Amino acid sequence: MEHQPYRLAEEFDRFLGDPDDPGEVFSHARCVELDDKEEFPADICRRFQEWGLPEQYVPVEYGGRLRDYEQVLQLVRAVARRDLTCAIGHGKTYLGGVCVWVAGSAEQGARLGAEIMAGVPVSLGLTERAHGSDLLAGDVRTDDKAADTEGHWLVSGEKWLINNATRGSVLALLTRTRPDGGPRGFSVLLVDKRELDEDTYRHLPKIRTHGIRGADISGIAFDGARVPRGALVGAEGAGLEIVLKALQLTRTMCAALSLGAADHGLRLGLDFAEERELYGRRLIDLPQARQVLAGAAADVLLHEAVALVAARAVQTQTAELGVTSAVTKYLLPTGTDQVLADLTGLLGARAFLKGVYAGGRFQKVARDHRIVGLFDGNTLVNLNSLVNQFRSLARGFRRGTGDTAGADAACDLTAPLPPLDPARLTLVTRHGSGVMAGLAASVDEITRRAEQNPVIGPVAAAARRLLDVTTAVHAEMEEYQGVLTEVPPAAFEVARRYTLCWAGAACLGLWTHSTDHFGDDPGTGELWRDGRWLHTALDRLLVRLGEPAAAGEETYEELLGALRAARSSGRLFSLLPQRLPERQPVRTGAAAVESERTSC
Amino acid sequence: MPVPTTGHTTESLTTWLAERIALYLKRQPAEIDPDVPLAEYGLDSVAALSLCGDIEDDFDLVIEPTAAWDYPTVHALAGHLVEELAAEAAKDGGA
Ligand SMILES: Cc1cc2nc3c(=O)[nH]c(=O)nc-3n(C[C@H](O)[C@H](O)[C@H](O)COP(=O)(O)OP(=O)(O)OC[C@H]3O[C@@H](n4cnc5c(N)ncnc54)[C@H](O)[C@@H]3O)c2cc1C
């Protein structure tokens, strides 16, 4: 069955051209060159503008084309697959706009939407040099003591480590509007630099970084800048609330960056293993190499499944996004860093060298991806926010409550998505997780299917084990449900286990609700039939939960076969079909790469 | 176990809140001065959001998670809850 978000992403990818062709604007060669020179990919961003990518960041009610978050996920993933600097440098405009989408007036939304579609970069200014994740410590403030502040705010202070602070024209700025601060002491101001007196602000120099080296990571310092009163987004004092809601959306969408990076890394690992010849054999024929590749492939599909459910849940289960986003923003970046680390072992020296294998792209993607787990709420911040919700999550699981209808709709890829209603975003998930509450029903469903089709038996057995572990994890959560201040390391570990269980529940939900529609595809259907991708996904999760393995070598061998088949037929290795614009690889054995044969 | 929804006073809610917050902070309820902002006891703003779940559970009353931000002391919050409970009772009575 056709799935629209993948179709549009395929079309966009085709428009961008073959990345292996150095003549294309958005080629791998160009991205490596820009990274070396630490130069912003301005010409590539113009291609995005030509195609209309910015329209996809603007909700339809403000004149854009953003209706389904699942669509943005796949578009940004397509960019991230080639280059994370471009995905982060351009996608940041979505982050800049999101506070307005969440809480702005209709007029603000329409005006900002028009600017974004015209190509104006927008940024989000939360972080300050001295305060990092501690948003309420922010010192960027307004001065209400000055004489003439009737028509404007007087803003002073410095935001630092801001993506597009220099290139951007508009900045959503978290500002202290009450001197004593506190959760009601901050507001979001949509500051338009073009309207400011040039003497009242200055840009801070570009900060040199380990990855995404071409991105504009800089800062901005205000000194009594006169910002019109109309720049206020939502109510005065609502800044923290707006930002925390906006972050639920952006943290979920960060999945696109991890998916794209993993697509790229897996491709490089596979090509290397196919081409490299050692001791008279190809690397891909060595059992250890096969295991690494198949494991990485299993993780890539697991992450894709989680991201699909999470991106759809933005609209079907908006009130639970505080949980969904924290799970996603924890799991995908850390899981993808692990995939890249595993593949690093496979590539050996070629993961370390620049310019020797595939233009040094592997070391670049591994470097670039490191940032995804750091910004927009780092790994620990996300686990911490789950710990804060243990009380209601444990209670919800005990009672079987949560938005299960919303979870079912997220898992059924053929179900139409309701439009996002930002008013349903909430800082607390009140009645537990619908994805978790639906786990028992998914387990029953796969058990029922296994009775008809014994091949699924081991997958159903793994699902039952997942339910047992999930029940145990919720019991562990009850022990820490009173922990709201000094969170002990053991509670972080329980939160980590919770994310793995949630991922398992999402995978099971996705498979049980969607497999009947996607098993017939000539390319990707075999991944769905007999629960193949689900089997390896559950195996990966159970092992990470400290349980015995659930899938054997044969299952991984089949997955590896699917990975190789996707590559040789020009398809993306994914749960749903998507063609890639690259030419097929020509396999001529070792000769295609190098002729070293000795192990040195 | 839901508490009966009638007959709450600022005093009874103050006691309930002090106990609950003491539990969060691993302190004795007597240590919580009802007029001192919760933040000063180290209850950070995100943690304070969790109160709404307990309130819903014990009083069957749905309040904004950010109530603890708008009513930052035990006294202020108790006063807000009394009003909300009264409004709820009036709504139920009228139905
Ligand atoms: C390339 C790049 C781009 C960025 N872009 C933007 C942007 O556009 N806009 C913007 O506003 N910001 C941006 N940032 C800032 C980014 O969001 C911050 O780096 C982030 O908020 C964390 O701050 P910090 O790194 O200073 O670490 P800190 O918050 O100071 O953390 C230090 C340590 O404490 C740990 N820690 C933090 N909180 C907890 C907790 N609750 N429990 C346990 N441990 C904890 C962290 O894990 C870390 O190990 C960007 C950063 C980078 C590197």
Side-chain angles (χ1 to χ4, degrees):
Chain A
M1 207 178 142
E2 289 282 298
H3 193 57
Q4 177 56 27
Y6 286 72
R7 284 295 69 70
L8 192 65
E10 179 177 302
E11 191 185 305
F12 175 45
D13 213 10
R14 198 178 320 122
F15 168 86
L16 294 171
D18 178 356
D20 292 327
D21 175 357
E24 288 287 351
V25 175
F26 195 6
S27 67
H28 291 310
R30 178 83 178 125
C31 293
V32 167
E33 181 194 341
L34 288 169
D35 188 63
D36 273 341
K37 294 185 180 157
E38 298 177 52
E39 221 175 279
F40 189 83
D43 50 348
I44 299 174
C45 288
R46 271 193 295 278
R47 292 284 287 159
F48 302 159
Q49 179 74 24
E50 282 164 29
W51 187 78
L53 186 59
E55 292 169 25
Q56 303 284 342
Y57 301 157
V58 178
V60 281
E61 58 269 34
Y62 301 129
R65 289 178 189 271
L66 169 55
R67 196 187 167 282
D68 290 347
Y69 278 77
E70 205 194 334
Q71 181 68 75
V72 197
L73 179 84
Q74 297 303 338
L75 292 171
V76 176
R77 175 189 187 180
V79 176
R81 185 152 57 240
R82 296 178 190 223
D83 183 46
L84 279 173
T85 306
C86 292
I88 293 169
H90 195 267
K92 200 63 183 200
T93 289
Y94 171 74
L95 267 75
V98 74
C99 286
V100 171
W101 313 154
V102 166
S105 66
E107 197 255 316
Q108 263 171 339
R111 193 148 32 92
L112 185 65
E115 296 268 25
I116 289 176
M117 291 187 285
V120 172
V122 181
S123 44
L124 176 64
L126 307 178
T127 307
E128 299 182 11
R129 202 186 291 259
H131 307 300
S133 314
D134 186 2
L135 296 180
L136 286 185
D139 288 321
V140 167
R141 67 199 173 276
T142 55
D143 176 359
D144 54 2
K145 297 215 178 58
D148 66 333
T149 52
E150 276 293 288
H152 55 263
W153 310 88
L154 271 186
V155 178
S156 296
E158 178 190 296
K159 292 286 179 188
W160 179 81
L161 273 191
I162 307 303
N163 190 351
N164 282 339
T166 304
R167 292 183 64 256
S169 301
V170 181
L171 178 82
L173 191 72
L174 184 67
T175 314
R176 183 185 286 256
T177 43
R178 248 196 231 166
D180 57 349
R184 288 299 190 206
F186 289 78
S187 306
V188 174
L189 303 181
L190 191 66
V191 176
D192 190 333
K193 291 179 349 194
R194 297 164 299 188
E195 292 176 349
L196 301 182
D197 181 341
E198 286 189 14
D199 297 338
T200 60
Y201 77 94
R202 69 190 161 82
H203 298 129
L204 306 179
K206 173 178 163 67
I207 296 150
R208 300 187 64 207
T209 47
H210 174 66
I212 61 162
R213 297 172 44 175
D216 164 22
I217 309 298
S218 52
I220 184 165
F222 301 96
D223 182 11
R226 288 159 70 102
V227 175
R229 287 268 156 186
L232 179 68
V233 178
E236 188 175 338
L240 182 67
E241 187 175 355
I242 295 170
V243 161
L244 291 177
K245 288 177 177 174
L247 286 171
Q248 293 182 1
L249 290 165
T250 59
R251 287 175 181 168
T252 309
M253 297 325 281
C254 277
L257 305 173
S258 292
L259 291 181
D263 290 340
H264 192 172
L266 181 60
R267 152 73 80 83
L268 291 172
L270 174 65
D271 284 359
F272 179 70
E274 295 274 15
E275 292 161 4
R276 181 77 171 159
E277 200 163 300
L278 291 168
Y279 323 113
R281 302 159 77 174
R282 285 183 311 155
L283 186 56
I284 194 136
D285 295 325
L286 300 180
Q288 166 64 16
R290 298 174 76 81
Q291 190 188 32
V292 170
L293 274 173
D299 283 341
V300 165
L301 296 183
L302 159 66
H303 294 156
E304 184 181 30
V306 170
L308 273 176
V309 174
R312 294 173 58 81
V314 167
Q315 286 160 251
T316 67
Q317 263 204 321
T318 311
E320 292 182 15
L321 199 58
V323 172
T324 310
S325 61
V327 168
T328 309
K329 182 65 178 43
Y330 167 73
L331 265 185
L332 269 82
T334 46
T336 299
D337 276 338
Q338 188 58 52
V339 166
L340 293 170
D342 293 346
L343 291 167
T344 297
L346 181 82
L347 271 100
R350 277 154 193 75
F352 191 70
L353 303 173
K354 294 174 81 168
V356 173
Y357 170 68
R361 275 152 54 199
F362 191 89
Q363 56 81 29
K364 177 175 176 302
V365 75
R367 269 192 293 114
D368 289 348
H369 186 263
R370 288 273 300 281
I371 182 58
V372 184
L374 295 178
F375 63 17
D376 217 46
N378 69 38
T379 296
L380 289 169
V381 166
N382 284 291
L383 291 180
N384 197 146
S385 103
L386 289 170
V387 175
N388 280 149
Q389 301 182 72
F390 274 3
R391 217 177 170 76
S392 77
L393 292 175
R395 186 162 50 206
F397 191 71
R398 208 166 50 233
R399 296 179 182 169
T401 55
D403 182 1
T404 45
D408 289 348
C411 291
D412 177 356
L413 296 174
T414 64
L417 294 172
L420 173 67
D421 176 6
R424 294 185 57 215
L425 290 166
T426 164
L427 300 186
V428 166
T429 299
R430 288 172 186 270
H431 302 128
S433 156
V435 168
M436 286 295 209
L439 174 59
S442 301
V443 170
D444 287 346
E445 171 64 14
I446 194 167
T447 301
R448 194 186 61 73
R449 284 175 184 252
E451 282 159 15
Q452 325 270 307
N453 175 8
V455 185
I456 303 177
V459 195
R464 287 190 292 274
R465 279 170 50 203
L466 179 78
L467 179 58
D468 291 343
V469 183
T470 303
T471 308
V473 166
H474 280 87
E476 292 167 33
M477 287 159 64
E478 303 219 359
E479 281 180 40
Y480 295 104
Q481 61 180 344
V483 175
L484 289 174
T485 43
E486 307 263 306
V487 180
F492 281 96
E493 170 59 14
V494 176
R496 184 189 74 87
R497 291 164 63 76
Y498 178 86
T499 66
L500 297 169
C501 294
W502 192 98
C507 287
L508 262 163
L510 180 64
W511 188 82
T512 51
H513 287 85
S514 295
T515 189
D516 292 341
H517 307 289
F518 296 96
D520 292 338
D521 185 86
T524 54
E526 63 162 332
L527 292 171
W528 291 84
R529 286 195 296 273
D530 304 335
R532 186 167 299 162
W533 71 260
L534 179 63
H535 196 181
T536 52
L538 292 178
D539 178 65
R540 305 294 283 178
L541 293 167
L542 284 167
V543 169
R544 279 175 198 146
L545 283 159
E547 297 293 310
E553 199 189 317
E554 340 66 66
T555 311
Y556 280 95
E557 280 293 320
E558 285 166 353
L559 197 68
L560 182 61
L563 171 68
R564 298 174 79 179
R567 176 66 173 129
S568 62
S569 58
R571 275 187 291 109
L572 176 64
F573 179 65
S574 60
L575 293 174
L576 301 172
Q578 181 173 332
R579 298 208 67 76
L580 294 173
E582 284 97 334
R583 278 185 312 261
Q584 314 291 286
V586 187
R587 301 256 185 258
T588 52
V593 213
E594 296 137 72
S595 50
E596 306 161 51
R597 286 218 171 182
T598 47
S599 57
C600 47
Chain B
M1 180 60 54
V3 181
T5 46
T6 50
H8 294 302
T9 61
T10 314
E11 289 72 53
S12 68
L13 288 163
T14 298
T15 308
W16 183 90
L17 279 167
E19 278 171 5
R20 192 51 55 124
I21 285 156
L23 185 77
Y24 288 177
L25 296 172
K26 298 198 169 54
R27 289 180 181 229
Q28 292 303 317
E31 291 175 57
I32 310 293
D33 180 335
D35 292 311
V36 169
L38 298 175
E40 287 184 22
Y41 292 112
L43 186 71
D44 77 50
S45 47
V46 175
L49 298 169
S50 309
L51 266 174
C52 76
D54 287 347
I55 291 168
E56 180 173 347
D57 219 40
D58 279 8
F59 300 99
D60 207 14
L61 175 74
V62 178
I63 61 161
E64 280 297 314
T66 47
W69 295 2
D70 295 317
Y71 304 94
T73 65
V74 165
H75 256 161
L77 197 52
H80 174 64
L81 290 182
V82 166
E83 283 173 21
E84 292 288 306
L85 285 164
E88 194 67 16
K91 220 167 56 191
D92 291 347

